[in-house]
Amino acid sequence: MPARGQRGSSAPAVRPLPDRYLEPEDIARIFGVPLETVYQWRRKRTGPPGFRVGRHVRYHPQAVAEWAAEQNEQAA
């Protein structure tokens, strides 16, 4: 598979998810979307499933990976 940025590359490089719960900022960075988009996904219940820890929203890396795989299947 060609490295990111090389000609002929049709898919972005896949980075492994961290071994910790993810924050909304992590989700925005992973998917290359604005942070407000992550909050909209949560309000509309269309994004990866998150959970609250007190006032803070967190995402389980495996749940995010599964959600991304589902999005990829639906787009195909």
Side-chain angles (χ1 to χ4, degrees):
M1 178 172 167
R4 185 178 184 146
Q6 287 185 346
R7 288 185 154 192
S9 176
S10 61
V14 176
R15 291 180 235 146
L17 293 173
D19 291 333
R20 61 176 174 78
Y21 289 116
L22 303 170
E23 300 176 12
E25 294 82 3
D26 296 320
I27 301 300
R29 188 171 36 257
I30 288 167
F31 292 107
V33 299
L35 184 57
E36 183 56 34
T37 298
V38 176
Y39 292 131
Q40 287 177 13
W41 286 346
R42 180 148 170 84
R43 279 192 299 274
K44 295 177 182 178
R45 299 179 189 264
T46 59
F51 61 95
R52 287 199 163 278
V53 178
R55 305 178 352 192
H56 307 282
V57 176
R58 295 296 181 259
Y59 299 86
H60 191 286
Q62 184 61 38
V64 172
E66 290 170 5
W67 176 82
E70 289 172 11
Q71 300 308 302
N72 193 30
E73 288 174 10
Q74 291 176 5

